[in-house]
Amino acid sequence: MVPSIAITNRSLHDQVANRVRDLIIDGSLEPGSRIDEAQLIEDLGVSRTPFREALRTLAAEGLVIVRPSKGSIVRKLTPEDVFSMLEVLGQLERLAGELVCVRASDEEIESLVTLHERMMSYYDDRDRMPYYKLNQEFHSRLTELSKNETLKEMQSNIQARLKHIRYIGSQKPGSWDGAVADHEEMVLALNDRDGERLGEAMASHLLKTWVRVKDSI
Amino acid sequence: MVPSIAITNRSLHDQVANRVRDLIIDGSLEPGSRIDEAQLIEDLGVSRTPFREALRTLAAEGLVIVRPSKGSIVRKLTPEDVFSMLEVLGQLERLAGELVCVRASDEEIESLVTLHERMMSYYDDRDRMPYYKLNQEFHSRLTELSKNETLKEMQSNIQARLKHIRYIGSQKPGSWDGAVADHEEMVLALNDRDGERLGEAMASHLLKTWVRVKDSI
DNA sequence: TACCTCAAGAGTGTATACAAAATACATGTA
DNA sequence: TACATGTATTTTGTATACACTCTTGAGGTA
């Protein structure tokens, strides 16, 4: 009933998977590096069984590569990987944009606009980290409001795979202005419930993201 | 070097995951039913460790649901699940259609057309099962030729999730003619390398698939 | 009868032990 | 020195044992 109890009730497997996911995203585990099982189970204080189950989960999610009898490594994305992910993510969010204009309530659309405005105030302050976090949330929430569970799931998965490099990218100066302009366009389309325009804005935003992140790979 | 050796070299985990996947697709394991760990490890002749790792993989793929301390069940798709999957699959294959027209070689396009013609000959004979298999292969191969690995991966995943109900659906009479007409349109667009038209045909084909399969759920 | 309570059994989660494979390294040879 | 070979060490894969949690159902109570 109390959330914290629900969390501690989750299986060790899930907790381990989440912990390792975080280590990958923040770069504690470097892309391409071997995952030292002995070291990590020591750090996390669990035995090999739940740890290895967690690795299988992460492998299915595409964050880790398990090489039979040769250990696991953190997946290192090639530029081609990243491009293909952004291309697909763009297409998924295009659909999300179209659907959200049809399926979301006025209140839900309003909540997205509010989110956008909070982002903009961080932009005005040039406060990158909270902007980065709200940006992720905006895309997640918009996809959620498309009311398509599968779409949400696929979008989350790709976002998770890209999180590390976008996290890196968000720390150094880039063409931030362009991204903000894209978002302004999205909100205009959203207010008009113009699905086609919003979808187009989402897709082209993610294609431009490629230009912004490709140098940090 | 020899493929069969590579296969036997795969970890038990992978073999188990593949076996169970097949059992789910052909319906030996009924959707919604509990997965009897003891029974299955007996049948497959493995111990619990690799079996449970396989379950985690299948869970991440969305074929199985693991309920902590309460055992695993074969995921049973609701009509909403299926609709959302077809909506996303349609959008993914729309992209595949657009890309294949740009990125595939003449030979590759030709191979798709050949595949289509083989399908048609099974259609003429009203031979459902081989038609069904070639149909899956056509969509898989077309997506593969879009030369986007992520797109291929996501398409395969959704296709796997839907495989069981489409397998069921393929066994009973339906509006087969409509599906064939859709495919004829795809091949016309493909021959013209008209990406937009092909993409549109793919997407609308999968939306119509919803109408065809929704009663078998 | 309807509803608790609390064993007993079954099933699930985790740790550990052992087996098999890969890697690292030392030794010998050309 | 460069390379091959065999052995020690480390790491990975799998089986099993034990602990814990759920489910079931018998017995008791209102």
Side-chain angles (χ1 to χ4, degrees):
Chain A
M1 187 165 282
V2 178
S4 63
I5 287 175
I7 288 166
T8 52
N9 273 354
R10 271 199 308 220
S11 66
L12 254 189
H13 155 84
D14 285 320
Q15 295 176 40
V16 170
N18 289 337
R19 280 287 272 117
V20 176
R21 224 180 262 115
D22 288 345
L23 293 176
I24 292 174
I25 290 165
D26 73 21
S28 305
L29 293 174
E30 245 174 272
S33 69
R34 230 182 91 268
I35 293 177
D36 188 337
E37 215 176 277
Q39 179 70 54
L40 271 174
I41 66 173
E42 169 74 24
D43 293 354
L44 300 176
V46 294
S47 75
R48 292 178 65 209
T49 310
F51 181 79
R52 302 192 91 241
E53 287 183 10
L55 276 188
R56 294 297 185 188
T57 298
L58 297 172
E61 288 173 3
L63 289 174
V64 150
I65 302 202
V66 182
R67 303 164 307 174
S69 298
K70 292 191 175 178
S72 306
I73 58 173
V74 179
R75 178 166 175 189
K76 183 173 187 171
L77 300 179
T78 64
E80 293 73 36
D81 288 332
V82 175
F83 179 76
S84 78
M85 286 173 193
L86 287 171
E87 197 167 59
V88 174
L89 191 58
Q91 182 76 347
L92 292 175
E93 295 202 8
R94 176 194 295 275
L95 178 60
E98 288 168 10
L99 295 179
V100 81
C101 288
V102 175
R103 298 180 185 169
S105 70
D106 287 347
E107 292 72 32
E108 288 167 339
I109 299 236
E110 191 48 46
S111 76
L112 284 174
V113 175
T114 305
L115 201 48
H116 169 78
E117 282 162 0
R118 287 206 287 143
M119 268 174 71
M120 287 308 109
S121 78
Y122 286 119
Y123 171 66
D124 293 339
D125 297 347
R126 295 297 184 277
D127 201 349
R128 282 184 174 275
M129 192 43 82
Y131 172 90
Y132 163 79
K133 286 193 197 288
L134 281 185
N135 182 33
Q136 296 264 0
E137 197 181 327
F138 180 84
H139 286 269
S140 296
R141 185 99 182 97
L142 188 146
T143 306
E144 203 169 304
L145 294 177
S146 71
K147 321 263 170 116
N148 179 316
E149 264 305 309
T150 306
L151 183 56
K152 178 67 193 120
E153 188 187 340
M154 301 279 147
Q155 192 265 355
S156 298
N157 177 250
I158 297 183
Q159 194 166 262
R161 295 187 193 193
L162 292 173
K163 224 167 193 169
H164 173 64
I165 59 162
R166 295 179 86 171
Y167 179 85
I168 298 299
S170 76
Q171 289 171 326
K172 52 181 186 181
S175 45
W176 196 357
D177 301 340
V180 166
D182 291 351
H183 274 263
E184 298 281 14
E185 163 70 4
M186 289 174 207
V187 170
L188 288 177
L190 200 53
N191 272 323
D192 286 355
R193 280 187 186 270
D194 186 338
E196 201 160 335
R197 182 174 165 198
L198 177 55
E200 185 56 35
M202 307 290 298
S204 87
H205 173 62
L206 284 158
L207 243 31
K208 288 186 219 154
T209 297
W210 165 245
V211 179
R212 285 191 284 271
V213 303
K214 69 177 170 189
D215 295 326
S216 18
I217 306 173
Chain B
M1 185 163 283
V2 179
S4 64
I5 287 175
I7 287 167
T8 52
N9 273 355
R10 271 197 309 220
S11 66
L12 256 189
H13 155 84
D14 285 321
Q15 295 176 41
V16 171
N18 289 337
R19 281 287 273 119
V20 176
R21 222 179 265 115
D22 289 344
L23 294 175
I24 292 173
I25 289 164
D26 72 22
S28 305
L29 294 173
E30 244 175 272
S33 69
R34 229 182 93 275
I35 292 177
D36 189 337
E37 215 176 277
Q39 179 69 55
L40 273 173
I41 67 173
E42 169 73 24
D43 293 354
L44 300 176
V46 295
S47 75
R48 291 179 66 208
T49 311
F51 181 80
R52 303 192 89 242
E53 288 182 10
L55 276 188
R56 294 297 185 188
T57 298
L58 297 171
E61 288 173 3
L63 290 174
V64 151
I65 305 213
V66 181
R67 303 164 307 174
S69 297
K70 292 189 175 178
S72 306
I73 58 174
V74 179
R75 178 165 176 190
K76 183 173 186 170
L77 300 179
T78 64
E80 292 73 36
D81 287 334
V82 175
F83 179 76
S84 79
M85 286 173 193
L86 286 171
E87 197 167 60
V88 174
L89 191 58
Q91 183 75 349
L92 292 176
E93 295 202 7
R94 177 194 295 277
L95 178 60
E98 288 168 11
L99 295 180
V100 82
C101 287
V102 176
R103 298 180 185 169
S105 70
D106 288 345
E107 291 71 33
E108 288 167 339
I109 300 237
E110 192 47 47
S111 76
L112 284 173
V113 175
T114 305
L115 201 47
H116 168 78
E117 283 162 1
R118 286 207 288 143
M119 269 174 71
M120 287 309 109
S121 78
Y122 286 119
Y123 171 66
D124 292 339
D125 298 347
R126 296 297 184 275
D127 202 351
R128 282 185 173 276
M129 191 43 82
Y131 173 90
Y132 162 80
K133 287 193 195 289
L134 281 185
N135 182 33
Q136 296 264 359
E137 197 181 327
F138 180 84
H139 286 269
S140 297
R141 184 98 183 99
L142 187 145
T143 307
E144 204 170 303
L145 293 178
S146 72
K147 322 262 170 120
N148 178 317
E149 264 305 309
T150 306
L151 183 56
K152 177 68 193 118
E153 187 186 342
M154 302 277 147
Q155 192 265 355
S156 299
N157 177 250
I158 296 183
Q159 193 164 263
R161 295 187 194 193
L162 292 173
K163 223 166 195 171
H164 173 64
I165 60 163
R166 296 178 86 172
Y167 179 83
I168 297 299
S170 76
Q171 289 171 325
K172 52 181 186 182
S175 44
W176 196 359
D177 300 340
V180 166
D182 290 353
H183 273 263
E184 298 281 13
E185 163 70 5
M186 289 176 207
V187 170
L188 288 178
L190 201 53
N191 272 322
D192 286 356
R193 281 188 186 269
D194 185 338
E196 202 159 334
R197 182 175 166 198
L198 177 55
E200 185 57 34
M202 306 291 297
S204 88
H205 173 62
L206 284 157
L207 245 29
K208 288 186 221 156
T209 296
W210 165 244
V211 179
R212 286 192 283 270
V213 302
K214 69 177 170 190
D215 295 325
S216 18
I217 305 173

